[in-house]
Amino acid sequence: MSGMKVGAVIITMGNRPEELRALLDSVAKQDGDRVEVVVVGNGSPVPDVPEGVRTIELPENLGIPGGRNVGIEAFGPAGRDVDVLLFLDDDGLLASHDTAELCREAFEADPKLGIVSFRIADPETGVTQRRHVPRLRAADPMRSSRVTTFLGGANAVRTRVFADVGGLPDAFFYAHEETDLAWRALDAGWMIDYRSDMVLYHPTTAPSRHAVYHRMVARNRVWLARRNLPAPLVPVYLGVWLLLTLLRRPSRSALRAWFGGFREGWTTSCGPRRPMKWRTVWRLTRLGRPPVI
């Protein structure tokens, strides 16, 4: 049995108490050493949780990355009190009792593995949506592989990654914060795996259910490029995404929100700029997703 310590961070708005309790039960049933859990109430009270689960109630909603960063620091600076942190959506459910042990084994077997992205499946149909497979070739969700990004609410991160490259970008609030961290981790030499055998059950939903979806997606896409890409690739990356957005023929109101966010991404601070090395660009390309799409 691996000796790696595993913790879990769950953020909640307090509006899904039954789902949260079911998720916490699934974490408590994990094989091996106990997984220590921190639940962060993101601008809301935390519902009743089992004994031994730590809670933090924030006075305001800091957004997804901000809330998760608070959870990371609850395990010491950069989460150093544990070796691995699970990040789980509060309406998800670990499908198997061996997920934490599989994580321990994966990280112990590969010292350069920094992040593991779980497979998300609908609890009733077992179907995994294409958008939940973090690679361009997403037709076969049962195929595990190296990837270039990960799913925010169903993953495991070696805490040394946070010590190396920092946490999630607070200002993003919602959307693309995972890719920002993934690119920084890859640039620092870490690898990312998608594992089809590590499953989080999660109801099938559309990301556009969030009112701020179109504006945040566009703004953060610009910030992502400005923060992380070599200067010649910034207009290429954003031009490709502009074209893809238009080809998807969004509604007039959605398009208006998207262009508003796109403009905001250029006119507001994106935070510190640390362009990735060209060898990282080549590495992303070899992994099947050059950083222009």
Side-chain angles (χ1 to χ4, degrees), residues 127-143:
V127 171
T128 296
Q129 295 179 277
R130 285 183 67 96
R131 70 183 182 87
H132 284 152
V133 182
R135 58 178 179 242
L136 291 179
R137 295 179 180 176
D140 182 8
M142 300 308 293
R143 179 173 66 88

Side-chain angles (χ1 to χ4, degrees), residues 214 250-258:
H214 296 287
S251 67
R252 184 172 295 182
S253 62
L255 198 58
R256 187 163 51 246
W258 194 93

Side-chain angles (χ1 to χ4, degrees), residues 234-246:
V234 173
V236 180
Y237 177 81
L238 295 176
V240 168
W241 278 106
L242 173 59
L243 179 61
L244 287 173
T245 299
L246 295 174

